[in-house]
Amino acid sequence: MNYLLALIPAIGWGIMPLITGKIGGSTINQMFGIGAGATIVGLVAFIIGHPTVTTTGFWFSVLCGALWTIGQIGQFVSFKRMGVSNTIPLSTVFQLVGNSLIGVIIFGEWRGARALTIGFIALAIVIVGALMTSVTDQSSGKKVTVQNFLFLLITSIGYWVYSAFPKMPMVANDSSLGIFLPEMLGILLGSVIYAICSGNIDSFKQKEQYLNIWGGISWGIAALAYIFAGRALGINTAFVFTQMNVIIATIGGILVLHEHKTRREMSFTIAGIIFIVAGSILTIFA
């Protein structure tokens, strides 16, 4: 049952970029939509569950949610620079490697020589898969450049904080439902701060700002399921399952958003996805 629960984020997070891609709008519009939609899910969960949360847990959750926006802003910007089908596989790898290292170094999730060996072999396979998906031809539109690669890597720090969040000592004694709403409020707060600081107040008058809430609802449902899965299965295992969204988002970017790929690029992309999925699954046995 816990493994089925961990697949919900894979579906929700895989569909989200397709929804926001179809709706369109600026990065500001998409980021606010995620924050507002996720907060709606958080309010519904709070009303139904009537959870409690400590003061420390509340404010730490808000902070983690706000930091998460860094990762999502980086992803939305990368969608426009590289396309969804190029961004998602790379983002998946950055998140998997970062969270695996956090799990090992901070939470001691891979213990012993055997676990460490399997774990790092799995990560190597995933990295090879990511490099394969990033192969681009001169004739294609959106390319993976060194600048775009580094930008996505640096902004992924926000995702690392979020993924490690369910097992942080500051929220260890709070219920999953209790920390969910304040975290979603943090995401909404972060998106509003981003809009204001970037000088885009007029974005609140644009319809795309609110249509993108549908993408936020999809993301929020996935995020709620991830909190429970992370506590039940551990960060590494839960995260591996959630990152199966790479299949939905990458193929969806090509078929639904009509992102162009040459035959050679498509061959490398499919092979890369297989490597990413295989390496991700292998981390479970570490």
Side-chain angles (χ1 to χ4, degrees):
M1 183 63 184
N2 289 332
Y3 290 102
L4 292 177
L5 178 66
L7 288 176
I8 295 176
I11 297 172
W13 287 340
I15 293 175
M16 182 274 288
L18 305 182
I19 295 175
T20 57
K22 271 295 184 182
I23 292 173
S26 65
T27 299
I28 306 290
N29 298 145
Q30 294 171 330
M31 193 62 248
F32 176 82
I34 296 299
T39 299
I40 290 172
V41 175
L43 286 170
V44 171
F46 184 85
I47 293 172
I48 293 175
H50 298 291
T52 59
V53 61
T54 62
T55 301
T56 300
F58 178 91
W59 289 112
F60 184 73
S61 300
V62 170
L63 176 62
C64 286
L67 290 175
W68 176 88
T69 61
I70 296 173
Q72 191 57 52
I73 289 170
Q75 197 173 87
F76 278 140
V77 171
S78 297
F79 286 163
K80 298 182 184 302
R81 292 180 178 178
M82 301 188 291
V84 172
S85 57
N86 283 330
T87 299
I88 290 297
L90 286 175
S91 181
T92 296
V93 170
F94 294 155
Q95 292 177 63
L96 180 62
V97 172
N99 286 304
S100 295
L101 292 177
I102 289 173
V104 171
I105 296 171
I106 298 178
F107 300 114
E109 291 194 354
W110 292 348
R111 297 182 178 179
R114 177 181 176 277
L116 287 171
T117 301
I118 294 175
F120 283 109
I121 289 175
L123 293 182
I125 294 173
V126 169
I127 291 172
V128 170
L131 293 174
M132 295 176 74
T133 62
S134 65
V135 170
T136 55
D137 293 329
Q138 293 297 321
S139 59
S140 62
K142 298 180 178 179
K143 296 180 176 62
V144 181
T145 64
V146 173
Q147 181 181 3
N148 292 339
F149 182 94
L150 292 176
F151 173 79
L152 184 60
L153 173 61
I154 292 171
T155 54
S156 292
I157 293 174
Y159 283 145
W160 299 344
V161 174
Y162 168 76
S163 296
F165 166 69
K167 294 192 72 175
M168 292 284 192
M170 288 73 80
V171 294
N173 296 321
D174 290 301
S175 67
S176 297
L177 277 180
I179 61 178
F180 183 69
L181 177 57
E183 185 184 14
M184 300 304 102
L185 290 172
I187 292 173
L188 179 59
L189 176 63
S191 67
V192 171
I193 292 174
Y194 175 54
I196 294 173
C197 292
S198 60
N200 288 281
I201 300 296
D202 288 343
S203 64
F204 291 96
K205 301 177 182 179
Q206 300 167 351
K207 67 177 182 178
E208 290 85 1
Q209 187 93 336
Y210 305 99
L211 288 176
N212 275 293
I213 288 176
W214 290 110
I217 291 174
S218 173
W219 188 92
I221 293 172
L224 179 61
Y226 175 75
I227 288 179
F228 286 98
R231 287 189 163 181
L233 300 174
I235 290 176
N236 283 343
T237 301
F239 186 78
V240 164
F241 272 83
T242 62
Q243 292 306 294
M244 294 300 109
N245 74 81
V246 66
I247 301 173
I248 299 173
T250 303
I251 301 301
I254 297 169
L255 299 180
V256 178
L257 302 181
H258 307 295
E259 295 177 352
H260 175 70
K261 279 188 177 292
T262 65
R263 179 173 296 181
R264 176 174 173 271
E265 289 174 336
M266 193 64 185
S267 298
F268 274 102
T269 296
I270 293 174
I273 289 174
I274 293 173
F275 270 74
I276 290 172
V277 172
S280 298
I281 293 175
L282 184 59
T283 62
I284 297 175
F285 300 97

